[in-house]
Amino acid sequence: MSINRRTFLSTAAAVSATLATPMIARAQSMPRVVVVGGGAGGATAAKYIARDSNGAIDVTLIEPTRSYYTCFFSNLYIGGFYEFDDLGHTYGNLASSYGINVVHDWATGVDRDAKTVSLAGGGSVPYDRLVLSPGIDFVEDSVPGWSLAAQGKMPHAYKGGTQAQLLKAQVAAMPEGGTFAMVAPPNPYRCPPGPYERISMVAHMLKNTNPTAKILLVDPKESFSKQGLFEDGWQRHYPGMITRIGPDFGGDIVEVDPDAMTVSIDGVVENVDVCNVIPAQQAGLIAQAADITDGNWAPVSAYDMSSKIDPEIHVLGDSAAQGAMPKSGFSANSQAKVCANAVIAALTDARAFPPRYANTCWSLIETDDGVKVGATYEASDEGIVSTSSFISEVGETPETRAETYRESLGWYDAIVEDMFG
Amino acid sequence: MSVLSRIAAAASVLGALSGPALAEADPERGEALYRPCAACHMIGEGAIHRIGPHLNGIMDRGIGMVEGYRFSEIFEEAAAAGEVWTEMALDGFIANPGGYLPGTAMVFRGIRGADDRADLIAFLIQEGGSSEAPAAAGEDTGPSPEVAAILEFEGDVAYGQFLSSECTACHIGQGGDDIPSIRGLTPTVFIAGMVAYRSGERQHQVMNTLAARLGDEEIAALAAYFLSENH
């Protein structure tokens, strides 16, 4: 039988009619990889698997949004250093340049026995290897009084996109001399310096438009990432504006009332004008649905990011419990490359190389005052372990700080090209 | 040429320049600013070509006109056009190498402060002499033994491709104002750069940390991969 479009379509229709749930028809002879989540981990993994297997692996990327807004650099948008539109990226090039089947839908479940991912829009997608890179979801009731239903009044702004726009608008609309409060999250959470860079960016914004405003940082943690650098910077740039209440003063006993716009700290009620609640975090819900989590996160092998519960599923980025790497976009991108190499080697006759990881996190404290922290990592039986690290120093020259900031701009351009280009 | 007469020559060149920036420039500060340049360029008595050409006598010399160094195309064009390293040309190039001479192989993002550039140029004149009275160059004996040892390896391109994914998290394929592009470097330039980062001779927190765990074989693999990408 000669195959033309008509017979192909009728065959495809016949096949799908015989199945209980309609499958998305793909080439059956090739090994199939399904990637859930099109962020720094998932987009990178999909691209590298498709590109470096030279078309020998059929890659499907499931991502609900058509325009992906990076969470990294959303603080710079809040501070007025980056345009919102420049944070948005689309998946067209991954489809056209690498032949990735991009499906804009929610992955709602994983059938690990049948090896299929079900979609909110109906149907399911079969896989030989599954890569989950769903980022974070919030732990319910971790901040009493707050729920997702309150995110319009008290934004989390911790997944990028419209929440970041909302928070910026609320800060801009604060009354003169008003109070901005942040409820910082407990460890571990996405982007360890993120809340403190955000405090810096809000302070920068207020310093220019509302200099008598106050910032109240309620923090359940004893200490935080780049603490010395941030505190030195806050003192130099925003003296008297920022008050941090740590656990020794009740920063870990906090409740909010989104209707009354109050924050209660160890029973003492404060009226606030803006309240940024960053709740405790856990692996994206699809990881929970796949039943590969232990506690809040999905434990993985440090050698190839495969799940310790199901080795045919890999978990990347924020959702993974992998050891020493911070939950960052840079980490997810680095883990995706190790995962891609391992997946290609498992499904084709390509070579596997020893895993190696790296991370750098840049933060902006004030105009041209950038700092960074970073490390290299390797795999061990106990998880990913750090081999060497660096951090910016207090007292660096303004030139060094400005250079560090410009470097972060270069990194943003590069990682976006690495993910989508 | 003695040190004293070199300083005298440098002083006369300084005097000949009308630019107020250079007249007030501080070559001692310039020496500190020269540190990142030293990873690729030698200057002073006995200097030879390394990754980049030696800089003896650069002021007022024709662009791309030093013997024994293979320049990139844009430098050859500038040489053919009779362009000269005037103070203004040096200042413009150091401010933004890729913008001033597009296609230059010099992987350096530039120095933004005008005073910094003036100090650096004053140091170049003090240390390397003028075009008429340059400091004596040395005899080029080829790449350093460390670089030569890595050049001996036959680089594993597939391994290099895997390793290069660590580079592409920060280095964009084309352009890049804030982090330089690393594509299109010849193996000698690439290897010498990585060796300088690995030893700490060239300083950058991220690059020193990443290069520290690269063995000779891995640097050779990366060089082979980046070379293969150019074809």
Side-chain angles (χ1 to χ4, degrees):
Chain A
M1 186 176 100
S2 72
I3 303 257
N4 59 33
R5 185 171 164 79
R6 180 179 291 267
T7 54
F8 171 76
L9 283 174
S10 63
T11 313
V15 168
S16 63
T18 62
L19 293 166
T21 52
M23 298 284 221
I24 289 175
R26 301 289 291 166
Q28 293 300 299
S29 55
M30 277 201 273
R32 294 161 304 196
V33 171
V34 173
V35 180
V36 176
T44 307
K47 171 179 155 178
Y48 274 71
I49 292 169
R51 187 192 72 182
D52 294 349
S53 66
N54 299 310
I57 295 176
D58 181 50
V59 180
T60 297
L61 175 62
I62 302 170
E63 159 62 41
T65 63
R66 284 171 193 278
S67 282
Y68 170 81
Y69 285 85
T70 60
C71 192
F72 48 91
F73 268 43
S74 61
N75 282 335
L76 268 61
Y77 154 70
I78 289 170
F81 294 92
Y82 225 76
E83 294 294 322
F84 187 75
D85 287 348
D86 293 340
L87 299 175
H89 309 280
T90 56
Y91 296 91
N93 185 57
L94 291 186
S96 61
S97 294
Y98 306 105
I100 295 167
N101 177 34
V102 181
V103 177
H104 290 299
D105 203 343
W106 286 94
T108 51
V110 177
D111 184 334
R112 280 164 38 196
D113 295 325
K115 300 219 285 192
T116 58
V117 178
S118 53
L119 301 175
S124 61
V125 190
Y127 66 82
D128 295 302
R129 288 280 174 136
L130 175 61
V131 178
L132 297 181
S133 190
I136 49 147
D137 272 298
F138 299 121
V139 176
E140 261 180 62
D141 299 325
S142 65
V143 178
W146 192 91
S147 70
L148 270 184
Q151 69 176 359
K153 286 184 176 141
M154 292 188 170
H156 56 80
Y158 225 62
K159 293 185 176 189
T162 53
Q163 276 274 300
Q165 287 181 302
L166 176 62
L167 186 67
K168 184 177 170 75
Q170 288 185 349
V171 175
M174 269 171 65
E176 197 183 329
T179 300
F180 171 95
M182 171 191 282
V183 179
N187 289 322
Y189 61 95
R190 156 183 286 183
C191 188
Y196 310 97
E197 181 184 56
R198 174 167 300 164
I199 290 289
S200 310
M201 292 296 93
V202 169
H204 167 79
M205 205 178 159
L206 292 174
K207 182 178 163 185
N208 293 325
T209 58
N210 191 350
T212 55
K214 296 287 175 210
I215 294 176
L216 183 63
L217 167 56
V218 187
D219 200 336
K221 300 183 294 297
E222 296 279 354
S223 61
F224 59 88
S225 171
K226 299 179 185 162
Q227 184 163 0
L229 294 165
F230 279 115
E231 287 178 345
D232 164 72
W234 293 345
Q235 220 157 34
R236 283 186 292 115
H237 301 302
Y238 317 113
M241 187 181 257
I242 301 163
T243 305
R244 176 172 176 264
I245 298 177
D248 41 351
F249 288 95
D252 55 341
I253 309 166
V254 62
E255 240 183 278
V256 298
D257 185 336
D259 291 320
M261 282 306 286
T262 58
V263 180
S264 153
I265 304 155
D266 200 9
V268 180
V269 177
E270 300 276 349
N271 289 303
V272 299
D273 299 289
V274 176
C275 188
N276 177 201
V277 176
I278 307 175
Q281 296 162 22
Q282 61 182 339
L285 291 178
I286 189 69
Q288 321 268 346
D291 202 15
I292 52 162
T293 52
D294 178 11
N296 284 341
W297 310 100
V300 295
S301 156
Y303 296 100
D304 60 1
M305 301 302 292
S306 64
S307 163
K308 289 194 169 169
I309 293 162
D310 183 341
E312 286 175 324
I313 301 178
H314 298 254
V315 186
L316 303 178
D318 298 347
S319 284
Q322 33 69 20
M325 293 184 85
K327 298 184 186 300
S328 72
F330 198 122
S331 292
N333 172 265
S334 172
Q335 293 160 9
K337 292 159 180 173
V338 169
C339 166
N341 178 249
V343 165
I344 296 169
L347 298 179
T348 72
D349 57 2
R351 292 154 64 196
F353 298 107
R356 54 197 299 123
Y357 304 96
N359 176 65
T360 302
C361 289
W362 288 267
S363 303
L364 186 61
I365 302 175
E366 170 59 300
T367 308
D368 282 337
D369 195 352
V371 292
K372 60 185 168 185
V373 59
T376 50
Y377 301 87
E378 65 184 20
S380 81
D381 292 346
E382 282 72 48
I384 295 178
V385 290
S386 173
T387 48
S388 177
S389 66
F390 63 84
I391 184 166
S392 297
E393 287 165 24
V394 169
E396 285 171 334
T397 63
E399 289 78 17
T400 298
R401 291 295 178 90
E403 186 148 316
T404 299
Y405 168 59
R406 287 199 302 273
E407 193 175 278
S408 73
L409 301 179
W411 166 73
Y412 187 88
D413 292 344
I415 194 171
V416 163
E417 183 182 82
D418 207 24
M419 292 162 64
F420 299 106
Chain B
M1 191 184 215
S2 75
V3 174
L4 269 180
S5 56
R6 258 169 51 205
I7 290 171
S12 72
V13 171
L14 279 171
L17 284 163
S18 56
L22 194 50
E24 291 162 18
D26 174 2
E28 270 180 43
R29 232 187 123 250
E31 184 168 11
L33 291 160
Y34 184 77
R35 283 207 47 173
C37 317
C40 298
H41 294 282
M42 290 183 77
I43 191 166
E45 205 120 357
I48 55 170
H49 300 320
R50 298 287 291 272
I51 299 169
H54 74 67
L55 300 176
N56 288 354
I58 188 168
M59 177 60 84
D60 292 329
R61 189 173 64 211
I63 293 180
M65 292 298 280
V66 66
E67 267 180 43
Y69 186 79
R70 199 166 159 211
F71 284 94
S72 52
E73 228 167 83
I74 184 80
F75 274 74
E76 285 176 6
E77 284 168 22
E83 303 275 346
V84 171
W85 281 126
T86 60
E87 184 199 348
M88 200 184 287
L90 269 176
D91 184 69
F93 182 67
I94 295 169
N96 180 4
Y100 195 84
L101 290 173
T104 176
M106 187 158 112
V107 183
F108 182 61
R109 77 176 93 180
I111 296 175
R112 303 208 179 188
D115 291 347
D116 291 348
R117 295 196 298 274
D119 291 345
L120 177 59
I121 292 167
F123 171 76
L124 296 181
I125 297 167
Q126 174 187 290
E127 208 58 22
S130 68
S131 64
E132 285 169 10
E139 195 185 332
D140 192 350
T141 51
S144 74
E146 204 179 354
V147 172
I150 297 174
L151 280 165
E152 287 296 306
F153 278 93
E154 190 172 337
D156 179 341
V157 174
Y159 188 30
Q161 180 175 6
F162 173 69
L163 293 170
S164 76
S165 69
E166 204 160 81
C167 313
T168 55
C170 296
H171 290 276
I172 203 162
Q174 298 295 325
D177 294 335
D178 301 296
I179 297 177
S181 170
I182 48 172
R183 305 208 183 221
L185 300 181
T186 65
T188 315
V189 171
F190 179 83
I191 292 168
M194 293 309 292
V195 164
Y197 280 125
R198 185 169 69 177
S199 68
E201 184 191 341
R202 191 168 176 178
Q203 291 199 336
H204 186 274
Q205 283 183 311
V206 179
M207 287 306 301
N208 293 143
T209 308
L210 291 174
R213 66 168 171 180
L214 292 174
D216 287 359
E217 201 181 333
E218 287 162 326
I219 292 177
L222 279 165
Y225 170 68
F226 283 121
L227 185 67
S228 76
E229 265 218 320
N230 296 334
H231 294 169

